[in-house]
Amino acid sequence: MKTMKKTLLPGLTAMMLLPAASFVSAAPDSAPAPYMPSAEIRRSQQDFASDRFGIFIHWGIYSMFAQGEWYLNYGPTQEEYSKAAAGFYPANFDAGKWADAIKASGAKYVCFTSRHHDGFSMWHTAQSPYNIVDATPFGRDILRELADSLASRDIALHLYYSHIDWGRPDYPRGRTGKTTGVDLSHPDWPSYYDFMNAQLKELLTGYGPIRCIWFDGKWDHDEDTTPFDWQLDDQYAMIHALQPGCLIGNNHHEDVIPGEDIQIFERDIPGQNTAGYSEQEISRLPLETCNTMNGMWGYKLLDQNYKDPRTLIHYLVRTAGMGANLLLNVGPQPDGSLPAAALDRLASMGAWMDANGETVYATAASPFEARPWGTATRKDDMLYVHLLEPDSLADRRTLPLPALPAAPVEAREYRSGRPLPLHKEGKDYSVALPDSLDAIDYIISLKLK
């Protein structure tokens, strides 16, 4: 695991309170001018940053093997693996039911894997017959059905797109996908680059508004002796030209580069690096952390180690406390249904968001660093203090408040509106707590001067 770069939290707090017009990518010193997001991009950034909660969906023919989305990398040949497409018939797929469950969870957007590293396309692409319509007996354009269902429920659509393709001989192989049996002796980057851009054009012109293209795979060439040129500048420019409000994010685990409109952290709340993927600096862009409900992204039969609802809600709240969105993954089963355990978690999170969503949606980052007991979110002159772990307090009857940007003038129990005693000793403030506290998250509405 690499060492995480240090970022000062006070700077982060100030950053997340800036208006959307301040979201500008950092550019190298040698660049003539920094990337300046358009008015459409700034509106999308603002909408994105207010959503706070989205659902990731990893689904493809890899679900049939029930070993996760990287199965092709671990031994099967492309020739044998691709035969699964002829048996892929997700009879229980119902885009409307998916959209209803996601809407009820409180999530505001979906990021769907249009094409993962195995190269199988989940829409009717004209660029390759290796797609959900032409290569399977199912013969339906899953992406189109999902896009229509989400749009009808006012849920924004993001599309995951892999820069890697383990099955195409023209992709210049990096450090993964070397055991698929594909002839690696004649890579053709111009051919592969044109293929990707043609697919991206299809996605951005045929499936309605796409709020974000979520790239993955740049890290495949991070061990090259000579830096690999992904030609991202032109690709990013094409995307912004096709849909001026389409955000670009790249899960490259590096500092953001010009043309990117959100910053992604994998399996970590920004500022942490427990998974070893997040040593990049925290940027001034809107932030997103993606994580799994269990252990895998794609469906894995034996992975039933689902996090409980309390853990997931705490992760959402702590992520919002850092001024970031949570993109929580669901891996559908090969029959097209969402796992029962995932549906249970979505329903529990939805019930909590129905009661407490005001303290998460459209909030800014906490003005103080997260504490063992919890964090805070901010909206105008209201600070929502989330007491997640009351047992970590020295005195369970008193919550000492960290230094705040303005003096607190009133404290109330969020759910009931009941006043709570607010004490001052010198420059320090504390809130007296009742004997009974919410088991998941005791929220205090703290009005600032």
Side-chain angles (χ1 to χ4, degrees):
M1 182 181 294
K2 298 178 181 178
T3 303
M4 180 182 68
K5 296 178 182 177
K6 296 184 182 296
T7 301
L8 297 178
L9 268 291
L12 169 66
T13 299
M15 169 198 78
M16 291 313 299
L17 295 176
L18 291 172
S22 299
F23 295 138
V24 179
S25 292
D29 293 339
S30 59
Y35 162 66
M36 297 297 294
S38 65
E40 295 90 343
I41 287 294
R42 293 197 298 269
R43 282 194 292 270
S44 291
Q45 287 175 318
Q46 213 162 23
D47 291 342
F48 171 83
S50 72
D51 284 351
R52 286 294 175 250
F53 184 29
I55 297 297
F56 215 167
I57 298 178
H58 275 72
W59 196 40
I61 60 171
Y62 45 79
S63 68
M64 298 182 67
F65 300 97
Q67 296 293 320
E69 74 288 350
W70 273 59
Y71 181 63
L72 178 57
N73 186 62
Y74 299 132
T77 65
Q78 170 65 22
E79 182 180 5
E80 291 301 313
Y81 179 90
S82 64
K83 293 177 182 178
F88 191 42
Y89 195 91
N92 291 329
F93 171 69
D94 187 323
K97 288 184 179 179
W98 281 21
D100 286 341
I102 291 163
K103 183 79 172 180
S105 77
K108 299 293 186 180
Y109 63 99
V110 165
C111 185
F112 179 73
T113 49
S114 65
R115 190 183 74 115
H116 209 273
H117 311 326
D118 67 344
F120 186 79
S121 298
M122 295 294 281
W123 80 98
H124 195 198
T125 178
Q127 309 310 315
S128 167
Y130 195 44
N131 69 74
I132 186 65
V133 175
D134 296 324
T136 78
F138 192 60
R140 287 161 48 188
D141 191 328
I142 282 172
L143 178 56
R144 183 168 304 285
E145 294 180 27
L146 183 60
D148 291 345
S149 293
L150 294 175
S152 69
R153 292 158 177 82
D154 197 28
I155 300 172
L157 177 60
H158 299 190
L159 293 179
Y160 171 109
Y161 188 87
S162 175
H163 273 128
I164 298 171
D165 193 318
W166 291 326
R168 288 182 64 97
D170 56 352
Y171 170 67
R173 198 69 68 227
R175 60 179 169 87
T176 65
K178 295 181 177 180
T179 60
T180 63
V182 174
D183 182 3
L184 306 180
S185 62
H186 297 90
D188 187 344
W189 169 250
S191 167
Y192 182 67
Y193 187 67
D194 288 346
F195 161 76
M196 286 196 299
N197 287 340
Q199 284 207 317
L200 288 165
K201 184 175 181 180
E202 288 180 347
L203 293 171
L204 290 162
T205 58
Y207 292 86
I210 306 301
R211 196 175 66 177
C212 181
I213 295 294
W214 204 102
F215 284 117
D216 193 19
K218 183 177 183 289
W219 37 260
D220 195 39
H221 282 272
D222 60 10
E223 296 179 357
D224 289 11
T225 303
T226 302
F228 188 82
D229 183 6
W230 291 93
Q231 297 180 256
L232 294 178
D233 288 347
D234 290 342
Q235 195 169 69
Y236 287 1
M238 179 195 73
I239 292 168
H240 286 141
L242 290 171
Q243 287 206 26
C246 183
L247 305 171
I248 294 173
N250 198 321
N251 188 40
H252 44 45
H253 311 146
E254 302 169 354
D255 293 346
V256 294
I257 62 176
E260 294 170 4
D261 306 300
I262 66 171
Q263 186 178 23
I264 298 164
F265 293 81
E266 182 176 347
R267 293 187 184 269
D268 274 312
I269 295 171
Q272 299 180 358
N273 190 27
T274 60
Y277 302 128
S278 302
E279 60 181 18
Q280 65 267 44
E281 297 284 358
I282 298 175
S283 74
R284 297 180 56 161
L285 297 179
L287 310 175
E288 178 185 77
T289 182
C290 58
N291 211 333
T292 57
M293 280 194 186
N294 46 358
M296 297 292 294
W297 300 99
Y299 177 68
K300 184 175 181 180
L301 181 64
L302 297 181
D303 182 11
Q304 298 301 314
N305 188 28
Y306 281 81
K307 302 170 183 71
D308 61 74
R310 183 177 186 271
T311 298
L312 294 173
I313 291 167
H314 281 198
Y315 204 87
L316 171 61
V317 170
R318 288 189 181 276
T319 301
M322 285 296 295
N325 292 11
L326 173 62
L327 183 62
L328 185 62
N329 185 71
V330 177
Q333 296 170 168
D335 69 352
S337 59
L338 303 181
L343 289 171
D344 174 73
R345 271 61 174 181
L346 291 178
S348 295
M349 296 184 78
W352 189 88
M353 290 293 276
D354 283 344
N356 305 288
E358 179 187 16
T359 71
V360 174
Y361 297 129
T363 57
S366 171
F368 56 84
E369 293 186 33
R371 298 295 196 267
W373 55 257
T375 187
T377 53
R378 186 175 181 181
K379 190 176 292 183
D380 300 321
D381 63 350
M382 190 64 68
L383 192 68
Y384 299 110
V385 179
H386 296 263
L387 180 54
L388 304 173
E389 302 289 352
D391 289 342
S392 69
L393 295 172
D395 180 356
R396 208 173 187 274
R397 297 168 298 177
T398 304
L399 176 65
L401 297 174
L404 300 173
V409 296
E410 180 183 80
R412 291 183 178 273
E413 192 174 67
Y414 173 72
R415 292 290 298 275
S416 69
R418 179 176 61 177
L420 296 171
L422 185 63
H423 301 299
K424 181 182 180 185
E425 185 173 342
K427 295 182 179 180
D428 300 326
Y429 289 86
S430 62
V431 177
L433 301 173
D435 293 334
S436 179
L437 301 175
D438 188 292
I440 293 180
D441 181 5
Y442 183 73
I443 306 173
I444 298 168
S445 299
L446 199 65
K447 187 174 178 61
L448 302 182
K449 186 174 182 180

